[in-house]
Amino acid sequence: MVKVTLAKHWSPEDKLYSPGSVVEVDDDTAQWLKSCGALVDASAKSAVKPVEKHKAESKSVEKPEAATVEVERPARAALIDDWRKYAESLGIVTKGLSKKDLIAATQ
């Protein structure tokens, strides 16, 4: 078992892990997460901050309104492409995520 730090949301089974979470996984899962780009690079100088800290800090940051594209949250039964568009409008990287992962990441 290996402890890894997540750079993206990850939802194995019914649990949702936020970026910055440290989880213990087997070697195969660690390699898979690394290949998907879901792990914090150990050589990076700064690690991903946990979501709780990021939410508090994001209140003081203004987002440019011209750059934001409002996409309405799709129904749970919507196509995965609709969920990808919605998640990307929120700034979530959708590569390699299943529909279930997209729904969990956008909550």
Side-chain angles (χ1 to χ4, degrees):
M1 298 299 264
V2 177
K3 287 189 178 183
V4 296
T5 304
L6 299 173
K8 298 180 181 182
H9 289 281
W10 182 46
S11 178
E13 299 177 16
D14 294 333
K15 179 126 173 111
L16 174 65
Y17 294 100
S18 300
S21 299
V22 177
V23 294
E24 191 169 356
V25 295
D26 59 31
D27 292 331
D28 291 336
T29 304
Q31 288 299 323
W32 176 77
L33 287 168
K34 184 177 180 182
S35 70
C36 291
L39 298 182
V40 173
D41 185 6
S43 64
K45 298 200 184 231
S46 63
V48 174
K49 296 177 184 176
V51 171
E52 293 76 28
K53 290 182 182 178
H54 178 62
K55 285 183 181 178
E57 293 172 1
S58 67
K59 292 180 183 176
S60 64
V61 177
E62 292 185 29
K63 295 180 181 177
E65 292 186 24
T68 59
V69 176
E70 289 192 30
V71 177
E72 190 173 320
R73 183 177 178 86
R76 275 186 132 3
L79 298 173
I80 191 169
D81 291 334
D82 295 333
W83 278 102
R84 280 193 183 109
K85 288 177 189 173
Y86 177 67
E88 288 169 355
S89 75
L90 298 176
I92 298 171
V93 178
T94 62
K95 184 176 181 182
L97 295 180
S98 68
K99 182 177 171 181
K100 178 182 171 184
D101 293 337
L102 291 170
I103 293 170
T106 58
Q107 293 197 13

